[in-house]
Amino acid sequence: MDSFVYYLRSNASPTRKGDKNDKNEAEANGRKHVAPRLTRPSPKRQPHSLLFLPNFPVPEAPLSDPKAASSDPKEAAKRVVGFAAVDRYVEPGMCVGLGTGTTAYWAIVRTGERVAAGEPLVAIVTSAATEKLCGEFGVPVIPFMARDIDVAIDGADEVAPDWSLTKGGGGALFREKAIAIAARRFIVIVDDSKVVDQLGRFPTPVEVVPFTLAWVQRQIAGQFPSAKATERIHDGRPYRTDNGNAILDCAFGTIPDPRALAGALQAIHGVVDVGLFIDLADAVLCTAGEGVRELTRL
Ligand code: 5RP
């Protein structure tokens, strides 16, 4: 946490990719402004800014939701950031990328409430599990690329000061990354336990074509002798992603250079995707006491 550079800014509305400032910046750089983009530009400027939103209004959880009755403070924190992200970034008529996991769950709930209130929102989902939840909460789902994604909202397993993320604890990393890349803005929602000085406490999920599993494990052992790459097991059976692939949970210890590690892993034949998200997040909403902290890029 200490290595984040914190600035207090006014509680202004967030700017969007494709907003005037982006356009001016693009024109100043001699580029034609085209949004959305399907590949990400080179790393953005450091340092990061921090916008503290201590009194972010969060509506009450619907009593019909069994999770709303939970007295677990972590569950309450997840709800706060999930609701805050939707209320801060989702505007009527938008197409929203919806993430996977227990924090993204609350963004789905809130999106459902807004649809029920009459807003014409649609979602593009990161997993079959999220599609099912959208069905339960009345959020219309459209296929990937059927529309441009205005904003994607998703959880993370770790967030580091260089804006790198670990994702894939729920096994949805491949589709999550596709949606994060394609979205105009990608908003990460976490409770403050996920904000770390360096990635690596959480094992890095690596999605692998099952045929090549042993090969990939051998390559990782050769390149990273102190790492431990363990096949994910679920309900006593090898876990399979929505794409039919296996997951290796790789304990590397602290990761000083996530970009280099992601590149080395991605280069191994059989690796489909790596749960390291580099330079994709546009903002992080994180619980802070009673409120929500927002980390945005300067
Ligand atoms: C799923 C993910 C999740 O976003 C990540 O695992 C965080 O999940 P949770 O909010 O349940 O802690 O990457 O693949």
Side-chain angles (χ1 to χ4, degrees):
M1 287 285 291
D2 289 347
S3 37
F4 280 102
V5 177
Y6 294 155
Y7 291 90
L8 284 175
R9 288 191 349 190
S10 70
N11 193 352
S13 292
T15 52
R16 268 189 280 165
K17 281 181 199 126
D19 280 357
K20 202 162 154 274
N21 289 346
D22 278 5
K23 188 166 185 279
N24 291 343
E25 189 185 318
E27 284 170 0
N29 292 335
R31 283 184 281 119
K32 188 165 175 277
H33 181 73
V34 181
R37 56 182 193 238
L38 290 179
T39 54
R40 289 281 167 151
S42 56
K44 296 176 188 172
R45 289 186 299 276
Q46 307 280 336
H48 324 300
S49 64
L50 178 98
L51 177 56
F52 186 44
L53 306 171
N55 298 313
F56 204 97
V58 180
E60 290 299 315
L63 290 174
S64 54
D65 189 320
K67 285 200 186 184
S70 163
S71 56
D72 177 1
K74 237 181 186 177
E75 197 59 41
K78 290 173 185 188
R79 181 180 150 271
V80 165
V81 282
F83 275 45
V86 174
D87 288 352
R88 185 158 173 78
Y89 290 101
V90 176
E91 293 166 19
M94 277 190 167
C95 174
V96 188
L98 286 173
T100 298
T102 54
T103 315
Y105 169 88
W106 290 107
I108 302 166
V109 171
R110 186 63 179 147
T111 306
E113 288 182 356
R114 301 240 322 235
V115 171
E119 282 188 43
L121 301 170
V122 294
I124 292 179
V125 293
T126 52
S127 64
T130 294
E131 181 158 17
K132 187 163 174 281
L133 288 171
C134 283
E136 287 169 22
F137 292 111
V139 180
V141 172
I142 60 172
F144 183 53
M145 297 303 288
R147 257 185 72 177
D148 293 343
I149 303 170
D150 296 294
V151 60
I153 300 171
D154 203 350
D157 301 299
E158 289 181 327
V159 178
D162 63 359
W163 291 85
S164 56
L165 315 171
T166 303
K167 281 189 54 57
L173 60 146
F174 180 81
R175 296 186 191 188
E176 288 174 336
K177 198 179 278 184
I179 286 173
I181 291 169
R184 287 196 177 101
R185 313 182 79 196
F186 175 41
I187 313 303
V188 177
I189 48 175
V190 289
D191 65 76
D192 53 9
S193 69
K194 307 276 188 71
V195 181
V196 297
D197 286 330
Q198 275 191 316
L199 301 186
R201 195 175 57 197
F202 193 93
T204 306
V206 178
E207 182 163 345
V208 176
V209 174
F211 178 80
T212 57
L213 196 71
W215 166 256
V216 174
Q217 278 177 308
R218 187 191 291 183
Q219 297 305 307
I220 291 174
Q223 289 184 47
F224 308 97
S226 61
K228 194 163 184 295
T230 309
E231 181 177 12
R232 189 177 296 183
I233 303 293
H234 182 68
D235 286 341
R237 283 194 300 218
Y239 175 84
R240 289 293 177 262
T241 68
D242 287 346
N243 311 310
N245 293 317
I247 296 277
L248 284 175
D249 289 305
C250 302
F252 292 105
T254 51
I255 301 172
D257 189 345
R259 184 185 296 276
L261 177 61
L265 293 169
Q266 196 73 63
I268 299 172
H269 185 68
V271 170
V272 174
D273 205 356
V274 180
L276 295 171
F277 284 39
I278 315 294
D279 203 42
L280 287 178
D282 293 294
V284 177
L285 290 191
C286 158
T287 51
E290 298 291 298
V292 176
R293 287 191 299 203
E294 182 181 53
L295 287 75
T296 57
R297 294 175 186 272
L298 279 179

